[in-house]
Amino acid sequence: MTYATQGDNPLVIVGAGPVGVRAAVELRRALPGAPIVLYGDEPWHPYNRVRLSSLLAGDAAWADFTAGLALPDRIETRFGCRVAAIDPLAQCVTDEAGVVQPYATLVLATGSRAHIPDIPGIALAGVFCFRALADAEALQARLARCRRVVVVGGGLLGLETARALHRYRTEVVVVEHHPRLMPNQLDQAASERLCSHVRASGVEVVLDDGPMAILGDGRVTGVRLRSGRVVACDTVVLSTGIRPNIELARDAGLAFQRGILVNDRMQASAAGIYAVGECAQHRGLVHGLVAPGFEQAAVAARVIAGEPAQYLGSLSATRLKVANWPVFSMGEVGAWEPPDLARAHVHASGGCFRKLVIRRGRLVGALALGEWRELARVQEAVQQQRRIWPWQTVRFRSGGEIWGETVESVAAWPAEATVCNCTGVTRGVLSGAISGGCSSVAALTAQTGACSVCGSCRPLLDNLIGASSPREPIPLARRLLALSAWAMLLATLFVLPANLPYASTEEIAWHWDDLWRDGVIKQISGYSLLALAALLALIGLRKRWKRLNLLAFVHWRWLHALAGGVALTVLWSHTGGRMGDGLNQWLSLAMLGASLSGGALALFLTREHRVAPAQASALRPTLQWMHTLLLWPLPVLLGFHIFKVYYY
């Protein structure tokens, strides 16, 4: 049954986290006229839990938490209002104040809560969870008087919490019961490197051990571990995983296991009820990241609107910074060794560690510690399971790069390629938003939701906006085009049989051949050429000598082309358009080569904005190199030419 068959009651969403907000956005898009009611337990405007550690560390403001979570128009919000019961037969929910709200369709996005281990002393003052905004505020207030903190849990959230706490010069000890950090995302080798880096940053790490009891009389004084060791501390932060909030569904009689059981259409076991996000269990999995929840919300909205849609699972990426060290993991590179049909390729050098997992020639997993310029492309390749050729694996093992070239513009990605993994926004959606008038990252975030969660895709959005905006020609392009065309024409005439003829009779008034036959005139033109060559060399220094800052560089550029054209004109008068023989011929060839290469470079610069960026980045340095190479012989050849003339 779809919403169209359910009467006039509103669509009700329980849960105002990022996934609940995304469900409201998708429902408004699919059903523009439908009434929607959104319930939220917390009194705040919807915020992004992923950035709580940034708030604790002082790296983010409130605006950073609400970016991309704006609700569409005509949605009734009931924040600070907890839903107490669901009646699937009567199709209504009851809040904690006893108010009954009928629904046409119900979407459960109740999320999850922090797991609290059942150990002695867990209720002592000084023990904190870190899951909601209230937890972050309480812990931030506690930091003013705490000196030593034990973070229980060495997973994703535990390490981010440790990083945030360490910013306050607080002693931090991370206790992880598993033999390695981030066991679900990293293999043994990567985890060992990460552990060494975390310890080098000043955070103590205890592995393969766990808390047996929290010690203290009214307040925390330490933690006793399984090994018998006692870690003295005054604060304990629990980061021991999450548990889906399934109590509402359980009490209403819906099928559940670890989460609320849903099918590929995100439908729960009762008619008209859907579950999305961290509270939903799909094909035996409960996803603990926000990106799968966004995909599930989109599928549920389309199904409610009567459209065909299925959710077949998600491949999510983990990206964070531990002690300012980038950590990335995606696909089949977690706690388990690769399957028999997959092969791992590793590159480790200096401060970076990279690993690729390839099955039947396709990239199915990747992890990286440290910066990696190809990371955005690697992420897209894992998402689409792109083919990796044998020579690319050889290049990766030796140099750490797969493609070994300048990473292509995001605009060149396939339209279905995911740019923002947190929200699932594709390159095609972003390009459509840019065509519709979005001209900044903020506008793209507001329109599509991209870059509204962890922010790691911002460089990709910057790249896409830069590639999509019109490329303008260089300043004074027309003037430079005319001068370079004139210079290249003069240089070409030297190669063609267009030499100026000698005067055929003594009776004419002006003997033009005196220009290259009369000694005095030749000296004038020769020294003029020498002066122009010196001027051209001086203009070339404008780009390299910072103190030479007279006029803007764009003016020096066209003056350089003008001086080159004048020099070729003087050369015509000095030689009559003849190349000469021997040393003179070599000098003429060097001048013409430098002039032709310089003219070609100038012509290219005037049309560079019409050339594909990848081609332009390859062609421009080639022309510059050729021009510079042909200029080097000129001083030596000129010196020999002057010496020969005056010696003989």
Side-chain angles (χ1 to χ4, degrees):
M1 299 179 67
T2 64
Y3 173 75
T5 65
Q6 296 295 303
D8 297 329
N9 288 329
L11 302 166
V12 173
I13 303 171
V14 179
V19 175
V21 171
R22 177 54 63 91
V25 171
E26 296 290 347
L27 285 170
R28 173 58 67 232
R29 183 181 294 122
L31 298 166
I36 300 175
V37 177
L38 176 66
Y39 284 90
D41 286 358
E42 298 179 87
W44 336 99
H45 187 279
Y47 63 90
N48 181 4
R49 298 179 190 275
V50 176
R51 295 190 176 179
L52 281 176
S53 60
S54 298
L55 175 65
L56 187 61
D59 294 336
W62 178 250
D64 299 321
F65 288 86
T66 58
L69 293 177
L71 289 166
D73 296 334
R74 294 177 293 107
I75 290 184
E76 183 181 349
T77 59
R78 299 177 184 176
F79 299 144
C81 183
R82 187 178 66 86
V83 173
I86 302 171
D87 188 341
L89 295 179
Q91 289 195 319
C92 64
V93 299
T94 305
D95 65 25
E96 58 185 354
V99 177
V100 177
Q101 173 63 61
Y103 63 81
T105 301
L106 176 65
V107 178
L108 298 177
T110 51
S112 60
R113 64 186 181 278
H115 169 59
I116 309 297
D118 185 15
I119 58 176
I122 198 70
L124 287 173
V127 179
F128 295 85
C129 297
F130 189 49
R131 182 65 183 166
L133 182 58
D135 300 329
E137 289 181 333
L139 189 55
Q140 201 165 34
R142 172 70 176 175
L143 287 174
R145 60 182 185 275
C146 74
R147 294 294 177 266
R148 185 172 172 86
V149 180
V150 169
V151 177
V152 181
L156 181 64
L157 184 58
L159 291 178
E160 287 193 327
T161 305
R163 176 191 70 88
L165 295 173
H166 191 58
R167 291 282 298 272
Y168 293 89
R169 301 185 183 276
T170 303
E171 293 184 40
V172 180
V173 181
V174 175
V175 177
E176 168 59 44
H177 76 278
H178 198 277
R180 60 178 184 251
L181 294 177
M182 294 182 66
N184 294 324
Q185 290 84 22
L186 302 181
D187 63 5
Q188 182 67 34
S191 182
E192 288 176 356
R193 286 174 173 260
L194 177 63
C195 186
S196 298
H197 186 82
V198 172
R199 285 170 173 161
S201 71
V203 175
E204 183 181 348
V205 179
V206 178
L207 297 176
D208 202 15
D209 209 345
M212 286 293 291
I214 299 176
L215 309 178
D217 184 10
R219 304 194 65 82
V220 171
T221 59
V223 177
R224 179 182 293 115
L225 305 181
R226 292 198 310 265
S227 61
R229 175 186 173 185
V230 174
V231 181
C233 64
D234 53 35
T235 305
V236 175
V237 180
L238 301 175
S239 182
T240 50
I242 58 175
R243 294 294 181 267
N245 293 321
I246 60 173
E247 289 75 18
L248 271 177
R250 179 196 62 197
D251 295 343
L254 301 183
F256 69 94
Q257 291 176 358
R258 186 183 172 204
I260 304 169
L261 295 179
V262 295
N263 58 20
D264 289 350
R265 293 161 62 85
M266 305 312 300
Q267 295 167 322
S269 58
I273 300 180
Y274 298 76
V276 295
E278 294 174 344
C279 67
Q281 180 175 332
H282 173 261
R283 296 188 180 183
L285 295 177
V286 176
H287 294 281
L289 299 174
V290 70
F294 286 165
E295 296 178 24
Q296 294 170 357
V299 169
R302 292 180 60 189
V303 172
I304 292 170
E307 301 177 21
Q310 283 187 319
Y311 175 71
L312 303 178
S314 298
L315 183 62
S316 300
T318 298
R319 296 181 71 172
L320 74 157
K321 281 196 174 183
V322 179
N324 293 321
W325 204 32
V327 177
F328 169 81
S329 175
M330 186 176 188
E332 301 179 19
V333 292
W336 318 113
E337 293 300 321
D340 293 339
L341 296 178
R343 184 176 181 183
H345 301 269
V346 175
H347 171 81
S349 65
C352 73
F353 177 88
R354 299 166 187 171
K355 176 180 176 181
L356 303 178
V357 179
I358 299 173
R359 179 187 296 115
R360 297 190 181 94
R362 303 283 181 176
L363 186 62
V364 298
L367 68 81
L369 305 179
E371 298 289 351
W372 192 1
R373 70 181 182 90
E374 289 187 330
L375 188 57
R377 191 170 178 181
V378 170
Q379 188 169 330
E380 190 273 337
V382 176
Q383 187 78 25
Q384 302 298 325
Q385 294 196 358
R386 303 286 185 189
R387 180 170 294 281
I388 302 298
W389 300 101
W391 57 85
Q392 291 176 322
T393 60
V394 172
R395 182 187 294 123
F396 172 78
R397 284 179 172 272
S398 61
E401 305 289 348
I402 301 175
W403 294 275
E405 58 189 26
T406 302
V407 181
E408 63 185 4
S409 168
V410 178
W413 289 15
E416 69 276 6
T418 301
V419 176
C420 178
N421 275 275
C422 292
T423 60
V425 179
T426 63
R427 198 277 302 164
V429 172
L430 290 168
S431 296
I434 292 172
S435 300
C438 293
S439 58
S440 66
V441 173
L444 282 178
T445 300
Q447 178 73 18
T448 67
C451 198
S452 63
V453 182
C454 71
S456 61
C457 63
R458 184 181 179 89
L460 301 181
L461 301 189
D462 288 330
N463 181 298
L464 184 58
I465 289 177
S468 301
S469 58
R471 299 170 61 203
E472 299 292 335
I474 62 173
L476 304 177
R478 291 186 179 181
R479 186 180 301 180
L480 183 62
L481 175 63
L483 291 171
S484 58
W486 169 49
M488 291 195 70
L489 175 62
L490 290 174
T492 306
L493 289 177
F494 272 93
V495 183
L496 300 176
N499 301 333
L500 289 175
Y502 291 95
S504 59
T505 175
E506 294 291 335
E507 298 178 355
I508 59 177
W510 178 57
H511 285 262
W512 58 82
D513 53 346
D514 287 341
L515 292 173
W516 64 87
R517 298 180 68 180
D518 184 270
V520 175
I521 298 178
K522 286 201 67 171
Q523 288 191 63
I524 294 173
S525 60
Y527 280 110
S528 298
L529 273 174
L530 188 61
L532 287 168
L535 177 62
L536 287 168
L538 180 64
I539 293 175
L541 289 176
R542 171 62 177 85
K543 187 176 181 180
R544 297 164 180 82
W545 190 17
K546 303 303 181 183
R547 294 185 179 181
L548 189 62
N549 53 14
L550 180 65
L551 297 179
F553 180 73
V554 294
H555 298 293
W556 285 77
R557 177 181 279 157
W558 76 262
L559 286 173
H560 186 92
L562 176 63
V566 173
L568 286 171
T569 304
V570 175
L571 183 62
W572 260 93
S573 68
H574 188 72
T575 64
R578 292 167 175 78
M579 300 289 291
D581 298 311
L583 185 64
N584 290 339
Q585 186 178 39
W586 282 105
L587 179 59
S588 298
L589 288 173
M591 287 184 174
L592 294 178
S595 300
L596 287 171
S597 60
L601 176 59
L603 286 174
F604 168 76
L605 291 175
T606 62
R607 289 294 179 266
E608 186 177 16
H609 62 288
R610 297 186 178 181
V611 181
Q615 296 176 350
S617 62
L619 186 56
R620 183 171 184 169
T622 302
L623 292 173
Q624 290 173 332
W625 178 83
M626 289 177 59
H627 185 56
T628 303
L629 182 65
L630 291 169
L631 283 173
W632 275 105
L634 279 178
V636 177
L637 292 172
L638 273 173
F640 275 112
H641 179 75
I642 295 170
F643 173 76
K644 182 196 69 169
V645 170
Y646 283 97
Y647 183 80
Y648 294 105

